[in-house]
Amino acid sequence: MKLLRTLLASAALLLATGMAQAAQPARVIPAVQDMTAADGTLALPRTLTIAYPQELEGEGTLLAQYLHDDFGIRAAVGKGNAAISLSLDPALSFPQEHGYTLRVSGTDVRIAAKDATGVFYGIQTLRQLVTMEADGRCTVPRVSITDYPAYRWRAFMHDDSRSFKGKDIVLGLLDEMARLKLNVFHWHLTDDQGWRIEIEKYPRLTEVGAWRDSTQLGGYRGKTFDPHRHGGFYTKQDIREVLAYAKARHILVIPEFEMPGHESAAIAAYPWLGTTGKEIKVPCTFGVQYEVMDITSPRVYRFIEDVLDEIIELFPSPIIHIGGDEVKFDQWKASPRVQAYMKEHGIDTPADLQVLFTNDISYMLNRKGRRMMGWNDITGNKIHEYNDADDATARQKLAEGTIVQFWKGDLDLIEKTARQGYDIVNSYHYMTYLDYDYKQIPLRQAYDFSPIPEGLPKELEKRILGLGCQMWGEETLSDEWMYSRIFPRIAAYAEVGWTLPQRKDYASFLRSLEGLKAIWKEKGYTVGGE
Ligand code: ACM
């Protein structure tokens, strides 16, 4: 049945795109760096042999699964006369790590790379090169490809806090990331409207913090509410499953535990975490909340360390995201205890207090062998209208080695941050927020995004690790709404991250996108922007 649907989808695609499609050179998303084509195609038999060394067992198994699920091809593992072979070759060299070569001759397909990740990317390219003809025959164009990523950080962020989606949806998203060679799954697991990760030492985080009574509809300006209780959380076992699935797909999962703002769900569970100490409920409304942690309290530090210990035990990621964005300083300013602490320690502004706190957590993470990442608010520059410039400009300097995820503020701040020696992930909101509609961020605008901002001095370019695109969850109670904003823009961001700017071409991207759209629709995902 699945195969039949695939056949129908490809037949429809052929009809829709007409003969012009056949005349186009082979093209995948993200576009490869270098491809030469010979005449003709290689026909893939319905039953074939694939060969790979022991070290590529995981990649070989996934290839067999893709061939079966995508094209109904049965693949057996063998040694001689393989139709597709995967190999590791330490002598290969590419301008960036995780490159690969893919050669399709008249007799076979060969994918080679220095490491398993490169081989995995070659497999993803092969998947997109296979054409299923209307009669069910599968062919691959004869090509020779040398490919490698432009940027090493190609992230997709999923906000499970505002709308809890659960494991199956996350696994599906990881599949689509893998298809597009996106390599960082940034998992936004805690926020005001819901705490989504089981922490054994603090059970109320999920007993209380994972549930809210209703949900504001239409985002923070919305006037109506969905009256249903909303919630859920990931057990440690769920998370282990997600991590194993991501690892097999060469995706690094970076957990985000927000602090000291975006903290209401945790404060609802444990009011002593908050600056006011008052009991609150998990908010049902969106927009920046006032609740912030009392970061002058040793008990709060202990809490953070305990939670980080459980997170670190679960997540192998060398990088832990601590959020750090949108802290309203009102509660700290109004708290005699926080004010006395600042005076005693000679801390001039709330922004300095936040930077010093952030650095303490950064050193704590370093001691545990991890590196901190946060939104660019943690640099202590004023970027929000709700905090006064005097309060929001820090003199204290952010700890070295912190990764700064730039999302808001004057673009000059990127240069300033890079000059200070921080690595940067560019997630500028006007260009990369997937919850924005297609009027705000048309597909073309997403495609034209450059992680390296215009005018950044050449010597600072190496500070830009790459990009993130972010699916915020205030309006994603509906899966359809969520998918319609992810697809197809996620493909544009994938090409931004992978393909060198001089190799990008929007017209051919759009033609190739038709194939991906057909696949997404076939999988039941709503595709937007049409
Ligand atoms: C953010 O959008 N608050 C990082």
Side-chain angles (χ1 to χ4, degrees), residues 262 325-326 375 407 433 472:
H262 287 284
D325 56 315
E326 298 183 315
W375 300 104
W407 72 282
Y433 273 21
W472 292 103

Side-chain angles (χ1 to χ4, degrees), residues 492-504:
Y493 295 121
E495 189 144 315
V496 168
W498 183 277
T499 308
L500 293 169
Q502 62 270 31
R503 309 260 190 271
K504 284 170 66 190

